[in-house]
Amino acid sequence: MIMRLAFVVLLAAGLDAFAPNAVSVGGKRRCSAIVQSTLTETKPDTEVKTGTTSQTASKQKVVEAPDLWEYNFGLQDPGLALPHGLEARVSPPQTFSITEEQIRTMEEDGVVHIKGVFDEEWVDYLKKATAYQVDTPHFWAFAGTASKLYDYIQRNVWQTNKAFANFYYHSAMGDVLRQAGRTDEIRVSTDLLMVNPNKGFKWHQDNQNGPITPEEGIRFWITMDETPKDYGAPVYLKGSHRNTAVDPQAVFVDIDQPGLEDYKDDRLEFRTKPGDMLVWHPKTIHKIDGPSDGVWTSYRRVLGGTVAKGGTKYHDKRGTGGVLSDLGRHGMEDGGDLKSAFFPIVYPRFDKNEAKQRDNGHVARSFVDIVSKIGGMATTASGQKFRSFFQVLGSKAD
């Protein structure tokens, strides 16, 4: 399994996946519905009327899997104007105040639901950026999309898609997260664009947080759609970030294992709406159930990831599964300060030099580093920990 994954990653690295000018190998438009979704969308679990007869909507996926020749390489720019008259790379980031009660909820429960952070204009912006990305898929989405984990999933999408980079630079995301983490600085450690988790994910904790420790990071979700009625709502074990029973390198979590008795039955379910944020500790155990047949007939688009708090150090995770969110050749050494264009600062304000490095294609995944970092996962112990990820997959998990 590890060798197959390494082959895919090395193939992409050899194809200049971050050249400043994008190279397109496809032209077919696969998902015109998602492009128009900002204007007219099918609500979750609605019915379609035909003549005078009401029929349940047919089970047809809203997003088709891309063909191999449709993937693109290099930097991509949807050319979207920022909301509210903001000027890209000039305007300061927006702000959004959260309460002391919300901050304490995050600290005590390990997760907090913050409603209405982003208004309709920002949600529309994110939907258009996502529509562009799904319709012109990047090769760095190949492994996750081809495996059918999601209809579309891409790590570090901000590195290739300028619209998402601008979102981090100018939205209130950094301000919300610095308050939740009681910190004076926020850097993006790693992110994920996720469209429709086909099978859902069983109980797990997050270990793809970039080169940081769980205590240095904050996880986030920014939602673009309403939660379907019967599935798709994230469920968290309240307070489980304080557990000492689960290996920090593990992904899959058996909630019946010794040490989780105080957490396994205390569950928090969140039915998020467009513009909401979920913020949680990387060790908080959670799951999400997909439809039983793996077919999403509505959208569940999420921009998520991990940010690093001020004072975070760089931790070289080669030899573990956690290395997959740190494949760039940034030159940082273990124990040094996490300050690099590969992990851009977004609060208190983006750095123009870091943004310029990103725009010039210098924030790239490196062939040399991929070989050394992925190669370190070949040991038996590391392989077992990495394979924990594949135990998470499944449509339902009680």
Side-chain angles (χ1 to χ4, degrees):
M1 178 70 72
I2 293 174
M3 294 308 296
R4 288 200 298 270
L5 177 62
F7 174 77
V8 170
V9 175
L10 291 176
L11 173 64
L15 290 171
D16 198 16
F18 280 77
N21 295 316
V23 179
S24 176
V25 288
K28 183 178 68 173
R29 296 189 63 80
R30 302 173 299 98
C31 48
S32 58
I34 199 170
V35 175
Q36 299 174 10
S37 64
T38 58
L39 300 177
T40 57
E41 297 194 26
T42 301
K43 296 291 184 182
D45 306 298
T46 57
E47 290 186 330
V48 176
K49 292 184 181 294
T50 304
T52 58
T53 304
S54 178
Q55 300 175 344
T56 301
S58 61
K59 295 289 284 184
Q60 184 174 349
K61 294 173 72 69
V62 293
V63 179
E64 299 176 12
D67 294 315
L68 182 60
W69 56 84
E70 293 184 85
Y71 286 95
N72 298 268
F73 304 88
L75 300 180
Q76 298 176 302
D77 183 2
L80 297 178
L82 286 165
H84 305 294
L86 296 172
E87 186 176 350
R89 313 304 173 86
V90 175
S91 299
Q94 294 190 317
T95 60
F96 185 93
S97 296
I98 64 175
T99 66
E100 177 64 23
E101 181 181 3
Q102 289 173 318
I103 297 171
R104 289 200 303 268
T105 296
M106 162 70 179
E107 294 170 341
E108 295 170 6
D109 295 353
V111 58
V112 62
H113 180 190
I114 305 173
K115 300 179 180 180
V117 177
F118 303 101
D119 63 14
E120 187 175 345
E121 287 190 48
W122 273 115
V123 173
D124 184 67
Y125 176 89
L126 287 174
K127 286 179 178 180
K128 287 176 178 176
T130 301
Y132 172 93
Q133 194 59 70
V134 173
D135 205 49
T136 55
H138 197 279
F139 193 83
W140 285 117
F142 173 76
T145 303
S147 67
K148 309 299 184 184
L149 301 181
Y150 282 77
D151 284 346
Y152 189 88
I153 182 170
Q154 182 179 337
R155 181 170 294 282
N156 289 338
V157 69
W158 74 270
Q159 293 182 355
T160 60
N161 186 317
K162 192 173 184 177
F164 291 107
N166 284 342
F167 173 81
Y168 293 142
Y169 297 158
H170 297 287
S171 77
M173 184 202 76
D175 187 44
V176 169
L177 295 174
R178 68 92 185 171
Q179 293 171 77
R182 299 189 191 273
T183 182
D184 60 358
E185 180 180 292
I186 291 291
R187 285 182 174 271
V188 175
S189 181
T190 186
D191 74 345
L192 274 173
L193 177 64
M194 299 166 281
V195 179
N196 296 354
N198 287 320
K199 295 183 178 181
F201 283 81
K202 298 177 183 178
W203 292 112
H204 66 284
Q205 66 178 6
D206 299 306
N207 80 336
Q208 290 298 322
N209 296 306
I212 65 177
T213 67
E215 297 305 321
E216 294 170 325
I218 309 171
R219 295 285 296 183
F220 69 91
W221 252 33
I222 298 165
T223 56
M224 307 178 214
D225 302 286
E226 292 188 21
T227 305
K229 182 179 64 175
D230 298 321
Y231 54 84
V235 182
Y236 293 76
L237 299 187
K238 183 178 179 179
S240 59
H241 60 303
R242 295 191 295 267
N243 90 83
T244 58
V246 180
D247 186 327
Q249 294 298 327
V251 182
F252 170 74
V253 176
D254 179 0
I255 64 172
D256 291 320
Q257 74 179 70
L260 295 182
E261 296 88 352
D262 293 338
Y263 309 109
K264 68 176 185 177
D265 295 322
D266 198 355
R267 305 181 183 188
L268 301 170
E269 179 179 284
F270 300 102
R271 307 198 68 80
T272 54
K273 294 182 178 296
D276 291 356
M277 286 187 71
L278 283 178
V279 182
W280 70 94
H281 189 287
K283 281 177 58 64
T284 305
I285 298 167
H286 56 289
K287 70 166 183 170
I288 182 169
D289 291 332
S292 58
D293 57 5
V295 177
W296 285 75
T297 58
S298 60
Y299 295 112
R300 211 269 348 235
R301 292 161 286 194
V302 169
L303 181 63
T306 307
V307 298
K309 295 183 282 190
T312 293
K313 302 296 183 180
Y314 175 77
H315 303 274
D316 191 338
K317 294 186 178 181
R318 72 186 69 211
T320 73
V323 77
L324 293 177
S325 51
D326 176 29
L327 293 176
R329 195 174 195 186
H330 39 64
M332 285 187 291
E333 296 185 358
D334 190 66
D337 292 338
L338 188 78
K339 294 185 181 297
S340 167
F342 284 77
F343 309 100
I345 188 169
V346 295
Y347 185 89
R349 186 185 174 101
F350 73 95
D351 183 278
K352 290 185 177 181
N353 183 58
E354 290 181 353
K356 184 176 180 180
Q357 290 185 58
R358 181 238 167 253
D359 293 346
N360 289 339
H362 296 156
V363 180
R365 304 187 194 191
S366 159
F367 178 84
V368 174
D369 272 19
I370 289 173
V371 170
S372 64
K373 292 179 178 180
I374 295 289
M377 291 165 53
T379 66
T380 300
S382 296
Q384 288 175 345
K385 289 177 180 178
F386 177 72
R387 283 189 291 272
S388 171
F389 168 79
F390 293 95
Q391 299 180 53
V392 176
L393 305 183
S395 59
K396 294 285 183 180
D398 295 328

